[in-house]
Amino acid sequence: MTPDIFQTIADPSRREILHLLSKETLTINELAENFEMSRPAVSKHIKILSQSGFITIRDIGRERYCLLNQEGFNQLQEWISYFDKFWHNKLRKLETVLNNKSNNA
């Protein structure tokens, strides 16, 4: 089961992992060095981010590299875009009403 994207990014540690990976591709060990939690705890966060489509894990030799994946961000953007359109339409209707009132005054 794919975790909810908003539950995924609700955790500050997972958001920080995404920020770190936006700068460079890192191994799980390199990511873990940035946190005051155990490597297994960081691995759990990475697994959730991977299941949600925010990151991809690539095995290269004995290392596991994490890199950003656009899929999770696309889902997030689709949700935000829906409400962008919603508010744009509401404001356009309000503008029409206000223009009609000022023209009739």
Side-chain angles (χ1 to χ4, degrees), residues 19-56:
H19 279 283
L20 290 167
L21 293 175
S22 72
K23 297 173 186 166
E24 63 182 316
T25 299
L26 297 168
T27 65
I28 294 174
N29 288 330
E30 290 170 335
L31 281 168
E33 291 171 2
N34 291 279
F35 297 95
E36 292 184 15
M37 65 178 90
S38 66
R39 186 187 180 284
V42 171
S43 291
K44 182 180 176 184
H45 288 298
I46 290 168
K47 181 179 179 182
I48 292 168
L49 287 165
S50 177
Q51 290 172 339
S52 298
F54 284 98
I55 67 170
T56 299

Side-chain angles (χ1 to χ4, degrees), residues 11 17 20 41 56 69 83 97 105:
D11 185 278
I17 289 170
L20 290 167
T56 299
N69 182 10
F83 287 98
V97 168

Side-chain angles (χ1 to χ4, degrees), residues 62-80:
R62 295 185 308 174
E63 295 290 343
R64 301 188 79 205
Y65 286 86
C66 301
L67 53 144
L68 290 182
N69 182 10
Q70 192 171 354
E71 181 185 330
F73 294 98
N74 286 344
Q75 291 176 40
L76 189 59
Q77 185 60 48
E78 286 172 19
W79 192 87
I80 292 169

